[in-house]
Amino acid sequence: MAWEITGTIVVPIDFSGMSVDAVGKACELAASPDLVHVLHVVPTLDQIAPGAPGAPGAPGHGLPTDDDRRAAVRQHFSEFLHQHGYHGVRDVVLDGEPDTVIAEYAATVNAELIVIPSHGYGGFKRLLLGSVAEHVVRSAQCPVLVLRRSDAE
């Protein structure tokens, strides 16, 4: 007997190859594609960070606005889902810090499961980059399936 999820499955993606695998796994587990909520979180730009639009000393004008960034992500999202044959899933774009927004969104939609790719970084790289997957595992109110890289140590 196969494991079949009849509630919402949230799949946070960053458009990497691991993201393709995560959406595929969620679609395999879901009773219906419309139960799969594919989520991309657009990180909030720190408006006072060097180089951010409007920041002191920021180079010239014409840097992308938040609306420009969201529009570009939505376009890429649509192409990504179409390219990989994922039809009927829900695409969701939100702003904020990915590790926090993912868990909050899953709680909001009463997700039954989160399927999240892990890049499997260790050591110094993990210290620098942190782990969104680890934070989601600790803060989510539902089970989390973490997919590891096939070449992870």
Side-chain angles (χ1 to χ4, degrees):
M1 182 171 115
W3 187 26
E4 184 176 77
I5 304 293
T6 57
T8 301
I9 301 175
V10 173
V11 187
I13 66 166
D14 62 3
F15 303 111
S16 66
M18 289 290 300
S19 294
V20 175
D21 296 342
V23 176
K25 177 55 75 179
C27 287
E28 287 175 26
L29 295 171
S32 172
D34 66 331
L35 295 172
V36 177
H37 292 215
V38 183
L39 169 66
H40 179 76
V41 181
V42 179
T44 306
L45 289 177
D46 182 353
Q47 294 299 315
I48 62 169
H61 299 295
L63 292 173
T65 65
D66 287 339
D67 289 339
D68 293 338
R69 292 173 59 224
R70 274 190 293 281
V73 166
R74 287 202 178 279
Q75 177 64 35
H76 184 68
F77 210 152
S78 177
E79 293 167 2
F80 174 86
L81 294 174
H82 180 73
Q83 175 186 4
H84 297 289
Y86 297 125
H87 304 288
V89 300
R90 296 181 188 200
D91 59 323
V92 181
V93 177
L94 298 174
D95 298 320
E97 296 302 318
D99 49 1
T100 303
V101 172
I102 294 164
E104 288 174 355
Y105 179 77
T108 299
V109 298
N110 296 314
E112 190 171 328
L113 178 68
I114 298 172
V115 176
I116 188 168
S118 172
H119 293 285
Y121 297 130
F124 188 66
K125 212 174 202 185
R126 181 174 181 163
L127 179 67
L128 287 176
L129 300 174
S131 173
V132 172
E134 181 181 343
H135 180 84
V136 170
V137 166
R138 283 188 279 116
S139 60
Q141 297 175 11
C142 65
V144 179
L145 174 60
V146 179
L147 302 179
R148 292 184 44 102
R149 281 188 356 218
S150 59
D151 64 343
E153 299 173 358

